[in-house]
Amino acid sequence: MQIIKDETAMQRLKNAYRIVALTGAGISAESGIPTFRGEEGLWKKLSPQELASFEAFIKNTAMVSEWYQHRREIIHHTQPNNGHYALKELQEIAPQFDLITQNVDGLHQRAGSTDVIELHGNIMENYCINCNQRYSQDEFDELYRHNPNHVPHCYCGGLIRPNVVWFGEALPEESIEKAYRVSQEADVFLSIGTSAQVSPASNLPLIAKQHNSYIIEVNTSRTAISDLVDLHLKGPSGEILPLLMDDYQHLINGAERFR
Ligand code: APR
C-alpha cells in the first residue's frame, strides 16, 4: 500500500541526502512499553517529579530505584517492533541517516540501529553519583538483590543511579550538539511517536524546518508540531514506517510503481 502520495514528499524523499529521525515513546508503544502522556501514559498515574528527578532519588532512593527496576523488567520482556526495524533498514539504504531518540529503552540498538543519539540516556546503564563508577545492569541487579532495602551502594559508598536524564538535568552535551547539527543539515526530518512537548528535543523539528528540511510526522494523533510539519502520517509507527520504507525503496530504485 503506497503511503507517500504527495508529489513534493516523493521528490524530497527521492532527492534527500541526509534523513534524520527523532523518535519518542510512541515508537516503543507497540512493543508494550507505556508512553508518558497518552491515555495509559506513565505520567497519568505517577508524578514525574516524584520519580524522575535527582531530588526524588535522594529523598526516596528505594522507591525511585524500585520504579526503574520495574521499568527495566517491562523492557526486558519486550522486543523491538516493525517500526524499529524499518528505521534500521533506512539507515542501511539512505545516503546519510541519523537516528535521534528520546527513549531510554535501547530497542533501536536491539533492532540493529547503530550510532543512535540517545538524548535522555539509557535505562540499562548505571553510575555512582559520588565517584562516577559505571555499573552494567547485571552488576546493578546483583547489588540491588543483595541490598536489604533496595538502596544499592557503590564500592566507594556512593549511591548508584540510572544513566538517564531526569527533569531539570542537562542532556549529554555531545548528544544534543550532534542532534542540533544533523537536524540543521536534514533534507528530510521524521518526527516519530513523540508529543514534541519536552525541550530541547522538541526544538529539533523546528530547527530542521528553519533550515528548509521537509518534515514528516508519524503519530497516532496530532501533536504540538502537527501544524508545522509538511506531512502528517496518522497511524501506529509499527504499521506506517514499513510502508514508508517500502515507498522510499521504490523511489530511490526508480521503480515503475510511481508512474
Ligand atoms: N505510533 C506512533 N505514535 C504513537 C503510538 C504509536 N503506536 N502510540 C502513541 N503514540 C504517540 C502519542 O500520540 C504521543 O504523541 O507517541 C507520543 C508519545 O508522547 P509522550 O508520551 O509525551 O512521549 P515522548 O514524546 O517520548 O516524551 C518525551 O518526556 O517524560 C519525558 O523523558 C521522557 O523522553 C520522554 C520525554
Side-chain angles (χ1 to χ4, degrees):
M1 181 189 114
Q2 188 183 339
I3 197 161
I4 301 291
K5 299 179 175 117
D6 176 279
E7 186 60 34
T8 306
M10 288 193 249
Q11 286 310 316
R12 292 297 297 267
L13 270 169
K14 185 177 179 179
N15 301 328
Y17 171 70
R18 183 186 285 271
I19 298 178
V20 175
L22 168 68
T23 63
I27 196 168
S28 295
E30 289 154 272
S31 293
I33 298 177
T35 63
F36 294 96
R37 296 173 184 82
E39 281 320 300
E40 297 304 308
L42 283 174
W43 299 150
K44 289 279 185 214
K45 305 176 196 102
L46 304 160
S47 153
Q49 284 69 22
E50 287 169 26
L51 287 162
S53 71
F54 186 73
E55 295 72 18
F57 176 72
I58 295 299
K59 202 165 72 176
N60 205 326
T61 311
M63 182 185 75
V64 174
S65 299
E66 205 165 323
W67 186 58
Y68 277 90
Q69 287 296 83
H70 168 66
R71 287 179 63 191
R72 290 171 179 130
E73 190 58 25
I74 293 171
I75 292 167
H76 183 68
H77 290 98
T78 64
Q79 296 297 329
N81 63 61
N82 290 334
H84 297 103
Y85 288 115
L87 293 183
K88 177 240 180 190
E89 287 167 34
L90 186 53
Q91 179 173 30
E92 288 168 349
I93 65 171
Q96 175 63 44
F97 178 72
D98 298 277
L99 176 53
I100 307 163
T101 190
Q102 300 170 88
N103 299 341
V104 296
D105 57 34
L107 288 186
H108 284 302
Q109 292 91 326
R110 284 172 55 192
S113 291
T114 57
D115 303 321
V116 179
I117 302 171
E118 291 182 310
L119 292 181
H120 295 165
N122 188 311
I123 201 170
M124 297 303 178
E125 297 168 1
N126 307 271
Y127 66 91
C128 170
I129 65 171
N130 184 37
C131 71
N132 217 27
Q133 169 70 36
R134 299 275 150 166
Y135 287 86
S136 71
Q137 194 49 44
D138 289 345
E139 291 167 332
F140 179 85
D141 287 345
E142 190 64 21
L143 289 169
Y144 185 86
R145 252 195 306 278
H146 290 99
N147 182 293
N149 53 7
H150 293 173
V151 178
H153 285 81
C154 174
Y155 307 112
C156 79
L159 290 171
I160 304 173
R161 60 166 285 178
N163 182 28
V164 298
V165 177
W166 279 328
F167 286 100
E169 292 187 324
L171 274 64
E173 204 166 313
E174 192 182 326
S175 301
I176 191 62
E177 277 173 9
K178 183 174 180 185
Y180 273 114
R181 180 173 53 76
V182 302
S183 299
Q184 289 174 18
E185 296 165 6
D187 297 305
V188 170
F189 188 100
L190 308 172
S191 181
I192 304 162
T194 179
S195 60
Q197 291 185 41
V198 176
S199 69
S202 55
N203 301 335
L204 299 174
L206 311 179
I207 287 166
K209 185 75 182 170
Q210 286 161 0
H211 288 80
N212 192 34
S213 175
Y214 188 83
I215 317 284
I216 300 175
E217 181 175 49
V218 177
N219 202 303
T220 44
S221 60
R222 294 189 67 78
T223 70
I225 61 166
S226 293
D227 291 338
L228 161 122
V229 305
D230 297 289
L231 180 62
H232 178 89
L233 299 174
K234 182 174 167 60
S237 47
E239 292 172 22
I240 298 277
L241 288 176
L243 295 172
L244 180 61
M245 263 310 298
D246 203 23
D247 286 354
Y248 179 67
Q249 277 177 321
H250 282 93
L251 277 170
I252 58 174
N253 297 338
E256 285 307 306
R257 175 191 181 121
F258 288 94
R259 286 184 180 77

